[in-house]
Amino acid sequence: ANALKIAKRSNRIAQIASQEAENSEDSDYVNQIINSNESLKLALPSMIQTAKLLAIEPNNKEAYLMWTNANERLLNSIANLKQSVSNT
């Protein structure tokens, strides 16, 4: 259930970032947002897959490490996107 909430929120963040890029006339700013947004979109499926694996095998240490790494990549992607949007 938590992975679903994270996925929904991440998708919402990506959607808002896309809108921000559409509303800007600064091509460098737009490219920065688009690149950061793509990174977020690529990190999300990995987090979902590893969360499913961990839900199936909660005692699997390898699954836990994979999930932790996927979450870290997702959080870093969100932080990079936030920084990109803030650079106006």
Side-chain angles (χ1 to χ4, degrees):
N2 287 335
L4 180 60
K5 288 179 185 178
I6 292 169
K8 285 182 178 182
R9 289 182 179 171
S10 296
N11 281 327
R12 182 68 180 137
I13 290 168
Q15 183 182 39
I16 291 169
S18 293
Q19 291 171 350
E20 182 70 22
E22 288 175 11
N23 291 331
S24 179
E25 295 178 7
D26 181 350
S27 62
D28 291 336
Y29 178 68
V30 169
N31 288 333
Q32 191 174 15
I33 291 175
I34 289 171
N35 290 336
S36 296
N37 208 11
E38 283 302 312
S39 176
L40 173 59
K41 290 178 183 179
L42 291 172
L44 190 54
S46 177
M47 186 282 300
I48 293 169
Q49 290 171 345
T50 57
K52 286 180 184 178
L53 180 61
L54 188 59
I56 293 168
E57 299 181 51
N59 294 324
N60 184 329
K61 292 183 195 271
E62 186 176 334
Y64 174 77
L65 291 175
M66 290 170 40
W67 173 76
T68 302
N69 289 335
N71 272 330
E72 187 173 330
R73 282 192 305 275
L74 181 65
L75 290 173
N76 288 338
S77 296
I78 291 170
N80 289 338
L81 183 55
K82 179 181 177 183
Q83 184 178 8
S84 294
V85 170
S86 298
N87 288 336
T88 56

